[in-house]
Amino acid sequence: MKLSKIFGLHAVQSALHYSPDKITQAWIDGQRQDQRLARVIADLEALGIRPEKTERKKLDRFAEGGQHQGIVIEVEMPGELPEHDLKTAVENLTAPALFLVLDHVQDPHNLGACLRTADATGVHGVIITKDNAAGITPTVCKVASGAAETVPVYQVTNLARTLRWLKEQGIWVFGAAGDTAQSAFQSDFKVPMALVVGAEGKGLRRLTQEACDMLVALPMRGSVESLNLSVATGVLLYEVLRQRTTA
């Protein structure tokens, strides 16, 4: 069992909403009194968890300098799933596949934001690499606002091999790349598909690009060369959703 600490009112409220059964312990600032904290305490007590009143210094240590707003909880963290679970998930799909693939994305804030958008757009799962990539951490869970508990995250050892296997299952692989003429808005995303996004600053690796069926780009009309990784992912996933929900 993987236990980690989550802090801050918003993050704790998300844990209470999405995974209350995963909360094992709680600590609160014994000197702090406000309505938001009181409501969270009441919700915890309703679960049979009585928060321990403690000094702010202890909460500061738990939060490692982060803004805990007077509360820290311990939770059982969701974990990454192995490759064979991905294969089972693909075999059991009843709707056109939609997977998000992150190629060596190392920033936990980007991973958390991508998970949140993946949940909102109906992604069936997020595929990450085992090495040189962010996994599920307390920071990821906090940024994801509950999506780390609702979106399966599959960890694979060889991404190019996994992409080839997805293609063998009839899933089209689209890679996001800024140096292609093919606009994402002129691409057919109604097919079973996996969207592959590369690490910020580096983009897709060569072998990853070669494993894609098609590379697509977002039109850029301003002076900046690219969007933040999680922002670009959000735009692309919502274009997929738009196409699939437009009659």
Side-chain angles (χ1 to χ4, degrees):
M1 181 171 59
K2 183 180 177 183
L3 295 175
S4 292
K5 291 180 175 61
I6 290 178
F7 54 88
L9 287 167
H10 181 70
V12 173
Q13 286 170 329
S14 292
L16 282 165
H17 180 72
Y18 291 103
S19 53
D21 57 319
K22 302 297 184 182
I23 302 173
T24 62
Q25 211 170 348
W27 298 266
I28 59 170
D29 184 347
Q31 302 301 314
R32 177 167 175 158
Q33 294 182 345
D34 62 67
Q35 289 187 348
R36 283 188 69 193
L37 183 58
R39 286 195 294 269
V40 171
I41 292 171
D43 289 341
L44 288 166
E45 290 179 340
L47 295 172
I49 299 171
R50 185 174 294 277
E52 176 186 330
K53 292 183 179 180
T54 188
E55 296 180 350
R56 183 179 182 86
K57 288 183 179 179
K58 185 174 181 178
L59 298 180
D60 290 341
R61 189 167 65 253
F62 282 159
E64 297 180 344
Q67 295 296 319
H68 53 69
Q69 299 175 292
I71 186 165
V72 175
I73 62 173
E74 186 176 69
V75 297
E76 297 178 26
M77 292 285 293
E80 300 86 3
L81 300 171
E83 290 185 55
H84 63 77
D85 282 9
L86 170 62
K87 295 181 178 181
T88 300
V90 170
E91 292 168 357
N92 292 333
L93 285 175
T94 57
L98 176 55
F99 288 93
L100 173 63
V101 184
L102 302 178
D103 183 16
H104 280 191
V105 170
Q106 298 179 336
D107 186 341
H109 292 87
N110 275 331
L111 175 56
C114 287
L115 285 172
R116 190 170 183 175
T117 305
D119 176 89
T121 54
V123 168
H124 295 119
V126 173
I127 300 171
I128 63 174
T129 53
K130 186 175 182 180
D131 299 321
N132 301 313
I136 298 178
T137 65
T139 298
V140 170
C141 290
K142 184 174 183 178
V143 175
S145 296
E149 288 77 25
T150 60
V151 179
V153 177
Y154 302 100
Q155 196 175 64
V156 302
T157 55
N158 187 315
L159 185 57
R161 182 179 63 201
T162 298
L163 295 178
R164 290 193 295 270
W165 180 84
L166 288 172
K167 289 161 64 173
E168 291 171 0
Q169 311 313 305
I171 296 174
W172 288 76
V173 177
F174 293 86
D179 55 356
T180 179
Q182 177 65 34
S183 169
F185 301 142
Q186 297 174 337
S187 304
D188 181 8
F189 292 149
K190 295 180 182 179
V191 298
M193 63 171 285
L195 172 66
V196 192
V197 180
E200 194 163 38
K202 298 180 180 179
L204 300 176
R205 291 175 296 157
R206 179 181 60 82
L207 289 178
T208 304
Q209 283 201 32
E210 292 175 355
C212 294
D213 292 301
M214 182 181 296
L215 299 178
V216 298
L218 290 173
M220 302 295 292
R221 296 289 183 262
S223 57
V224 298
E225 294 183 359
S226 63
L227 296 175
N228 169 272
L229 183 155
S230 60
V231 172
T233 300
V235 175
L236 289 165
L237 287 176
Y238 267 98
E239 172 60 15
V240 177
L241 181 62
R242 184 196 68 80
Q243 290 190 22
R244 294 186 176 196
T245 55
T246 301

Short mmCIF file of all heavy atoms in Angstrom, two decimals, residues 117-160:
data_model
loop_
_atom_site.label_atom_id
_atom_site.label_comp_id
_atom_site.label_asym_id
_atom_site.label_seq_id
_atom_site.Cartn_x
_atom_site.Cartn_y
_atom_site.Cartn_z
N THR A 117 -7.85 16.97 -17.78
CA THR A 117 -8.50 17.14 -19.07
C THR A 117 -8.92 15.80 -19.66
O THR A 117 -9.97 15.69 -20.30
CB THR A 117 -7.55 17.87 -20.05
OG1 THR A 117 -7.13 19.10 -19.47
CG2 THR A 117 -8.26 18.16 -21.36
N ALA A 118 -8.10 14.78 -19.43
CA ALA A 118 -8.45 13.44 -19.92
C ALA A 118 -9.77 12.97 -19.31
O ALA A 118 -10.63 12.40 -20.00
CB ALA A 118 -7.33 12.45 -19.59
N ASP A 119 -9.95 13.22 -18.03
CA ASP A 119 -11.21 12.86 -17.38
C ASP A 119 -12.37 13.63 -18.00
O ASP A 119 -13.43 13.06 -18.28
CB ASP A 119 -11.12 13.17 -15.88
CG ASP A 119 -12.42 12.90 -15.14
OD1 ASP A 119 -12.61 11.77 -14.67
OD2 ASP A 119 -13.26 13.83 -15.05
N ALA A 120 -12.17 14.92 -18.24
CA ALA A 120 -13.24 15.77 -18.75
C ALA A 120 -13.65 15.41 -20.17
O ALA A 120 -14.81 15.62 -20.56
CB ALA A 120 -12.80 17.24 -18.70
N THR A 121 -12.74 14.86 -20.96
CA THR A 121 -13.03 14.58 -22.37
C THR A 121 -13.30 13.11 -22.66
O THR A 121 -13.45 12.72 -23.82
CB THR A 121 -11.86 15.07 -23.25
OG1 THR A 121 -10.64 14.50 -22.77
CG2 THR A 121 -11.75 16.59 -23.22
N GLY A 122 -13.34 12.28 -21.63
CA GLY A 122 -13.71 10.88 -21.84
C GLY A 122 -12.60 9.98 -22.32
O GLY A 122 -12.86 8.95 -22.95
N VAL A 123 -11.36 10.33 -22.01
CA VAL A 123 -10.23 9.48 -22.40
C VAL A 123 -10.30 8.15 -21.64
O VAL A 123 -10.59 8.12 -20.44
CB VAL A 123 -8.89 10.20 -22.09
CG1 VAL A 123 -7.71 9.25 -22.21
CG2 VAL A 123 -8.73 11.40 -23.02
N HIS A 124 -10.06 7.05 -22.34
CA HIS A 124 -10.15 5.73 -21.73
C HIS A 124 -8.95 5.38 -20.86
O HIS A 124 -9.03 4.48 -20.02
CB HIS A 124 -10.32 4.65 -22.81
CG HIS A 124 -11.62 4.78 -23.55
ND1 HIS A 124 -11.68 5.01 -24.90
CD2 HIS A 124 -12.90 4.73 -23.12
CE1 HIS A 124 -12.96 5.08 -25.28
NE2 HIS A 124 -13.71 4.92 -24.21
N GLY A 125 -7.84 6.06 -21.07
CA GLY A 125 -6.66 5.80 -20.26
C GLY A 125 -5.49 6.64 -20.74
O GLY A 125 -5.45 7.07 -21.89
N VAL A 126 -4.56 6.89 -19.83
CA VAL A 126 -3.34 7.63 -20.15
C VAL A 126 -2.16 6.66 -20.08
O VAL A 126 -2.04 5.89 -19.12
CB VAL A 126 -3.13 8.80 -19.17
CG1 VAL A 126 -1.78 9.46 -19.41
CG2 VAL A 126 -4.26 9.82 -19.31
N ILE A 127 -1.34 6.69 -21.11
CA ILE A 127 -0.18 5.79 -21.19
C ILE A 127 1.08 6.61 -20.98
O ILE A 127 1.30 7.61 -21.66
CB ILE A 127 -0.15 5.08 -22.56
CG1 ILE A 127 -1.43 4.26 -22.77
CG2 ILE A 127 1.08 4.18 -22.66
CD1 ILE A 127 -1.59 3.71 -24.18
N ILE A 128 1.91 6.18 -20.02
CA ILE A 128 3.16 6.88 -19.74
C ILE A 128 4.31 5.88 -19.82
O ILE A 128 4.10 4.66 -19.78
CB ILE A 128 3.15 7.55 -18.35
CG1 ILE A 128 3.03 6.50 -17.23
CG2 ILE A 128 2.03 8.59 -18.26
CD1 ILE A 128 3.16 7.07 -15.83
N THR A 129 5.52 6.40 -19.93
CA THR A 129 6.70 5.53 -19.97
C THR A 129 7.18 5.24 -18.54
O THR A 129 7.01 6.06 -17.64
CB THR A 129 7.82 6.19 -20.78
OG1 THR A 129 8.07 7.50 -20.26
CG2 THR A 129 7.44 6.28 -22.24
N LYS A 130 7.78 4.09 -18.37
CA LYS A 130 8.28 3.70 -17.05
C LYS A 130 9.49 4.52 -16.64
O LYS A 130 9.65 4.88 -15.47
CB LYS A 130 8.63 2.21 -17.05
CG LYS A 130 9.02 1.67 -15.69
CD LYS A 130 9.23 0.17 -15.73
CE LYS A 130 9.59 -0.38 -14.36
NZ LYS A 130 9.79 -1.86 -14.39
N ASP A 131 10.36 4.83 -17.60
CA ASP A 131 11.59 5.56 -17.31
C ASP A 131 11.49 7.00 -17.81
O ASP A 131 10.79 7.30 -18.78
CB ASP A 131 12.79 4.88 -17.98
CG ASP A 131 13.00 3.46 -17.46
OD1 ASP A 131 12.84 3.24 -16.25
OD2 ASP A 131 13.33 2.58 -18.29
N ASN A 132 12.21 7.89 -17.13
CA ASN A 132 12.31 9.29 -17.54
C ASN A 132 10.95 9.97 -17.69
O ASN A 132 10.72 10.74 -18.64
CB ASN A 132 13.10 9.42 -18.86
CG ASN A 132 14.49 8.86 -18.75
OD1 ASN A 132 15.20 9.16 -17.79
ND2 ASN A 132 14.89 8.03 -19.70
N ALA A 133 10.06 9.68 -16.77
CA ALA A 133 8.72 10.26 -16.85
C ALA A 133 8.14 10.40 -15.45
O ALA A 133 8.47 9.64 -14.54
CB ALA A 133 7.81 9.39 -17.71
N ALA A 134 7.27 11.38 -15.29
CA ALA A 134 6.58 11.55 -14.02
C ALA A 134 5.56 10.44 -13.83
O ALA A 134 4.90 10.03 -14.78
CB ALA A 134 5.87 12.91 -14.00
N GLY A 135 5.47 9.94 -12.61
CA GLY A 135 4.44 8.99 -12.24
C GLY A 135 3.43 9.67 -11.34
O GLY A 135 3.44 10.89 -11.18
N ILE A 136 2.55 8.89 -10.74
CA ILE A 136 1.53 9.47 -9.87
C ILE A 136 2.15 9.81 -8.52
O ILE A 136 2.66 8.94 -7.82
CB ILE A 136 0.35 8.50 -9.71
CG1 ILE A 136 -0.32 8.26 -11.08
CG2 ILE A 136 -0.68 9.07 -8.74
CD1 ILE A 136 -1.45 7.28 -11.03
N THR A 137 2.10 11.07 -8.19
CA THR A 137 2.66 11.59 -6.94
C THR A 137 1.60 12.46 -6.26
O THR A 137 0.58 12.79 -6.87
CB THR A 137 3.91 12.45 -7.21
OG1 THR A 137 3.49 13.62 -7.95
CG2 THR A 137 4.94 11.69 -8.01
N PRO A 138 1.83 12.86 -5.00
CA PRO A 138 0.88 13.79 -4.36
C PRO A 138 0.67 15.07 -5.17
O PRO A 138 -0.45 15.58 -5.24
CB PRO A 138 1.54 14.07 -3.01
CG PRO A 138 2.31 12.82 -2.71
CD PRO A 138 2.85 12.38 -4.04
N THR A 139 1.74 15.59 -5.78
CA THR A 139 1.59 16.80 -6.60
C THR A 139 0.69 16.54 -7.80
O THR A 139 -0.19 17.35 -8.13
CB THR A 139 2.97 17.29 -7.09
OG1 THR A 139 3.77 17.62 -5.96
CG2 THR A 139 2.83 18.50 -7.99
N VAL A 140 0.88 15.41 -8.45
CA VAL A 140 0.02 15.05 -9.59
C VAL A 140 -1.43 14.95 -9.14
O VAL A 140 -2.34 15.47 -9.80
CB VAL A 140 0.50 13.71 -10.22
CG1 VAL A 140 -0.53 13.21 -11.22
CG2 VAL A 140 1.85 13.88 -10.88
N CYS A 141 -1.66 14.29 -8.03
CA CYS A 141 -3.04 14.12 -7.53
C CYS A 141 -3.67 15.46 -7.20
O CYS A 141 -4.86 15.69 -7.46
CB CYS A 141 -3.04 13.22 -6.31
SG CYS A 141 -2.66 11.49 -6.67
N LYS A 142 -2.87 16.36 -6.62
CA LYS A 142 -3.41 17.67 -6.26
C LYS A 142 -3.80 18.46 -7.49
O LYS A 142 -4.89 19.04 -7.56
CB LYS A 142 -2.37 18.44 -5.44
CG LYS A 142 -2.87 19.78 -4.93
CD LYS A 142 -1.87 20.44 -4.00
CE LYS A 142 -2.43 21.75 -3.43
NZ LYS A 142 -1.51 22.39 -2.48
N VAL A 143 -2.94 18.47 -8.51
CA VAL A 143 -3.23 19.21 -9.74
C VAL A 143 -4.39 18.56 -10.50
O VAL A 143 -5.23 19.24 -11.07
CB VAL A 143 -1.98 19.28 -10.64
CG1 VAL A 143 -2.30 19.93 -11.98
CG2 VAL A 143 -0.86 20.04 -9.94
N ALA A 144 -4.47 17.24 -10.45
CA ALA A 144 -5.51 16.51 -11.19
C ALA A 144 -6.90 16.70 -10.59
O ALA A 144 -7.91 16.44 -11.25
CB ALA A 144 -5.16 15.03 -11.25
N SER A 145 -6.97 17.11 -9.34
CA SER A 145 -8.25 17.38 -8.68
C SER A 145 -9.23 16.21 -8.76
O SER A 145 -10.40 16.36 -9.10
CB SER A 145 -8.91 18.64 -9.28
OG SER A 145 -8.12 19.78 -9.04
N GLY A 146 -8.72 15.01 -8.48
CA GLY A 146 -9.58 13.83 -8.47
C GLY A 146 -9.43 12.93 -9.69
O GLY A 146 -9.82 11.76 -9.65
N ALA A 147 -8.89 13.47 -10.77
CA ALA A 147 -8.78 12.69 -12.01
C ALA A 147 -7.77 11.57 -11.91
O ALA A 147 -7.85 10.59 -12.66
CB ALA A 147 -8.44 13.60 -13.18
N ALA A 148 -6.81 11.66 -10.99
CA ALA A 148 -5.84 10.56 -10.82
C ALA A 148 -6.54 9.31 -10.29
O ALA A 148 -6.03 8.20 -10.46
CB ALA A 148 -4.73 10.98 -9.86
N GLU A 149 -7.71 9.49 -9.67
CA GLU A 149 -8.47 8.35 -9.17
C GLU A 149 -9.47 7.82 -10.21
O GLU A 149 -9.96 6.70 -10.09
CB GLU A 149 -9.23 8.74 -7.90
CG GLU A 149 -8.37 8.94 -6.67
CD GLU A 149 -7.63 10.25 -6.66
OE1 GLU A 149 -8.08 11.22 -7.31
OE2 GLU A 149 -6.58 10.34 -5.99
N THR A 150 -9.79 8.62 -11.23
CA THR A 150 -10.83 8.21 -12.19
C THR A 150 -10.29 7.80 -13.56
O THR A 150 -10.96 7.07 -14.29
CB THR A 150 -11.83 9.36 -12.40
OG1 THR A 150 -11.15 10.51 -12.91
CG2 THR A 150 -12.52 9.74 -11.08
N VAL A 151 -9.09 8.26 -13.91
CA VAL A 151 -8.51 7.93 -15.22
C VAL A 151 -7.40 6.90 -15.03
O VAL A 151 -6.42 7.17 -14.33
CB VAL A 151 -7.95 9.18 -15.91
CG1 VAL A 151 -7.32 8.81 -17.26
CG2 VAL A 151 -9.03 10.24 -16.09
N PRO A 152 -7.50 5.72 -15.65
CA PRO A 152 -6.43 4.73 -15.52
C PRO A 152 -5.12 5.25 -16.14
O PRO A 152 -5.14 5.84 -17.22
CB PRO A 152 -6.96 3.52 -16.30
CG PRO A 152 -8.43 3.74 -16.42
CD PRO A 152 -8.63 5.23 -16.45
N VAL A 153 -4.03 5.01 -15.44
CA VAL A 153 -2.71 5.40 -15.96
C VAL A 153 -1.90 4.13 -16.15
O VAL A 153 -1.61 3.40 -15.19
CB VAL A 153 -1.99 6.35 -14.99
CG1 VAL A 153 -0.58 6.67 -15.51
CG2 VAL A 153 -2.78 7.64 -14.81
N TYR A 154 -1.53 3.84 -17.40
CA TYR A 154 -0.80 2.62 -17.74
C TYR A 154 0.67 2.95 -17.97
O TYR A 154 1.00 3.86 -18.72
CB TYR A 154 -1.40 1.99 -19.00
CG TYR A 154 -2.87 1.66 -18.87
CD1 TYR A 154 -3.84 2.51 -19.40
CD2 TYR A 154 -3.29 0.51 -18.20
CE1 TYR A 154 -5.18 2.22 -19.27
CE2 TYR A 154 -4.64 0.22 -18.06
CZ TYR A 154 -5.58 1.07 -18.61
OH TYR A 154 -6.92 0.79 -18.47
N GLN A 155 1.52 2.20 -17.34
CA GLN A 155 2.97 2.42 -17.45
C GLN A 155 3.59 1.34 -18.33
O GLN A 155 3.42 0.15 -18.06
CB GLN A 155 3.57 2.39 -16.04
CG GLN A 155 4.96 2.96 -15.93
CD GLN A 155 5.42 2.99 -14.48
OE1 GLN A 155 5.56 1.94 -13.85
NE2 GLN A 155 5.64 4.18 -13.93
N VAL A 156 4.31 1.75 -19.37
CA VAL A 156 4.88 0.79 -20.32
C VAL A 156 6.40 0.98 -20.38
O VAL A 156 6.92 2.06 -20.14
CB VAL A 156 4.26 0.94 -21.72
CG1 VAL A 156 2.75 0.75 -21.66
CG2 VAL A 156 4.59 2.30 -22.33
N THR A 157 7.09 -0.09 -20.74
CA THR A 157 8.55 -0.05 -20.79
C THR A 157 9.08 0.37 -22.15
O THR A 157 10.14 0.99 -22.25
CB THR A 157 9.14 -1.41 -20.42
OG1 THR A 157 8.57 -2.42 -21.27
CG2 THR A 157 8.82 -1.77 -18.97
N ASN A 158 8.37 0.04 -23.22
CA ASN A 158 8.81 0.36 -24.57
C ASN A 158 7.66 1.02 -25.31
O ASN A 158 6.74 0.34 -25.77
CB ASN A 158 9.27 -0.92 -25.28
CG ASN A 158 9.91 -0.64 -26.63
OD1 ASN A 158 9.39 0.15 -27.42
ND2 ASN A 158 11.02 -1.29 -26.91
N LEU A 159 7.70 2.34 -25.41
CA LEU A 159 6.56 3.08 -25.95
C LEU A 159 6.35 2.78 -27.44
O LEU A 159 5.21 2.59 -27.88
CB LEU A 159 6.76 4.58 -25.74
CG LEU A 159 5.58 5.45 -26.16
CD1 LEU A 159 4.31 5.04 -25.44
CD2 LEU A 159 5.88 6.92 -25.91
N ALA A 160 7.42 2.73 -28.22
CA ALA A 160 7.27 2.47 -29.65
C ALA A 160 6.61 1.12 -29.88
O ALA A 160 5.74 0.97 -30.75
CB ALA A 160 8.63 2.53 -30.34
#
